[in-house]
Amino acid sequence: MSQTTTRPQASSAEAGGSLLRQPPAVWAVAFAAMVAFMGIGLVGPILPTISDELNSSPTQTSFLFTSYLAVTAVAMFFTSWLSSRIGTRTTMLLGLAVIVVAAVFCALSTSIEGVIAFRALWGLGNALFLSTALASIISASGGRPGHAVILYEAALGLGLAIGPLAGGLLGEINWMAPFWGTASLMAVGFVAIIAVVRGSGRPVENSHVLAPFKALSIRPILIMSIVAFFYNSSFFVTLAYVPYPLGMSAVGSGVVMTGFGLGLALASVVIAPGFTRRFSATYVLVASLVLFALTHFGAGVLTETNAGFIICVVLLGFEIGAVNTVLTEVVMEASDLPRPVASSAYSGVRFIGGAIGAPVGTSLAAFGVGVPFFFAAATSLVGVLIIAIFHRSLNRADHPVDENSAEEAAAITFGE
């Protein structure tokens, strides 16, 4: 596993444009993506409040993540097929509309089962929007994958930074207010995309319905998808469980998770790109995952020490930002597949990991308040082990894709 970068062509290609000098369409999609990720983060601080108001256990409330992520994962496999027929713009708008409806009905629900069910509908909208948002940003930014991934992950970080704080502040009013807030912001995102995103984004050829599944037969895509499965298991244990050992008010939890999200955004925009310019992506990814595991272990040990635990949570944000950015970039560069197909395959497997990890990790608190974090550390290290075993198969992620892989990708995309 080389420690020096092996992608000079990609770096020089992307050096030709400024990250911040982007067309309005890029910023409109990035804003909507940020709000979509706010929808994930805003639930965290109000989980204890929802538990109290709706008489549900922490494991039951973790299913607010599970139902959302499970539907997101399944739908992700089919979004490239849909977007190739109706266009990425229409697919994004449909996704945002579904999220608005789901958020409204979450706010109107009177039982934990109802909120869980409408969070599942929210997951469908999330899949429709997010799976095409990255491809849209790449296209609108002039086809520079590195810049697009950084902007996309920055939107994720800012969403996870602002979402918990907004959720905590609105949660002080009542547990329903954050859902009303998300519905309103998503409506703004909907209008922004209608106003400034032009063109359908429909490809010349339709994507085959089985294209994302066939994409998993490409070895680097499969390997990185499995790594992402275990990594997301850890990630969503953090989101679903952290508010409980914190033992703070909704606002207090929101402030801590805002620090977490700001660290994620900073690592996505500055730290991860800086390291990948000097070292190979796989090396940076392994180092980040090891630090991620160690910090989870530290969080498990320090759950009774509030200051130490909060430091660990904020550090996790930095590490998640680095892992997210590098993982996504590696997958985008691992083959010559169209971006929506690669994104559908990878994201589908990735979100399944989160759907399983959130309730499993949270339920382990029955064995000790720090055990969920030990579980998260272990699943992170599984990802490291997989990369170590198969790192030779990942070399293509650090090199331009050859002609044979391009022909293989075309056959997968169009079902030949």
Side-chain angles (χ1 to χ4, degrees), residues 29-39 129 154-160 162 186:
V29 177
F31 168 76
M34 181 191 74
V35 178
F37 287 119
M38 282 178 62
F129 174 73
L156 187 158
L158 290 173
L160 290 179
I162 299 170
M186 276 300 182

Side-chain angles (χ1 to χ4, degrees), residues 1 56 91 134 192 299-300 325 377:
M1 194 183 305
S56 56
T91 305
L134 178 57
T325 299

Side-chain angles (χ1 to χ4, degrees), residues 74-240:
V74 173
M76 281 285 191
F77 286 111
F78 303 98
T79 52
S80 61
W81 170 82
L82 179 64
S83 66
S84 72
R85 283 158 175 78
I86 66 174
T88 54
R89 182 176 183 269
T90 302
T91 305
M92 285 192 295
L93 290 172
L94 179 61
L96 290 174
V98 170
I99 293 172
V100 170
V101 171
V104 167
F105 278 101
C106 280
L108 295 174
S109 296
T110 57
S111 68
I112 189 64
E113 291 80 12
V115 182
I116 290 171
F118 288 113
R119 279 284 286 179
L121 180 63
W122 194 325
L124 174 61
N126 186 67
L128 292 170
F129 174 73
L130 291 181
S131 65
T132 49
L134 178 57
S136 296
I137 291 175
I138 290 175
S139 176
S141 65
R144 291 187 292 272
H147 283 181
V149 169
I150 292 169
L151 287 171
Y152 182 80
E153 296 298 337
L156 187 158
L158 290 173
L160 290 179
I162 299 170
L165 184 59
L169 291 171
L170 292 172
E172 291 293 303
I173 301 172
N174 58 57
W175 70 266
M176 298 171 285
F179 294 112
W180 288 114
T182 300
S184 301
L185 286 172
M186 276 300 182
V188 173
F190 184 94
V191 172
I193 288 178
I194 287 179
V196 301
V197 177
R198 295 288 179 262
S200 67
R202 184 174 175 179
V204 176
E205 298 282 350
N206 288 339
S207 175
H208 195 279
V209 68
L210 297 179
F213 298 99
K214 291 182 179 180
L216 293 173
S217 67
I218 296 177
R219 194 176 178 88
I221 297 288
L222 177 61
I223 292 168
M224 295 315 300
S225 295
I226 295 172
V227 170
F229 172 92
F230 286 103
Y231 158 68
N232 252 39
S233 297
S234 306
F235 180 6
F236 279 95
V237 168
T238 304
L239 289 182

Side-chain angles (χ1 to χ4, degrees), residues 1 219 384-393:
M1 194 183 305
R219 194 176 178 88
V384 173
L385 182 62
I386 292 170
I387 295 173
I389 293 172
F390 297 105
H391 71 275
R392 292 185 184 277
S393 298

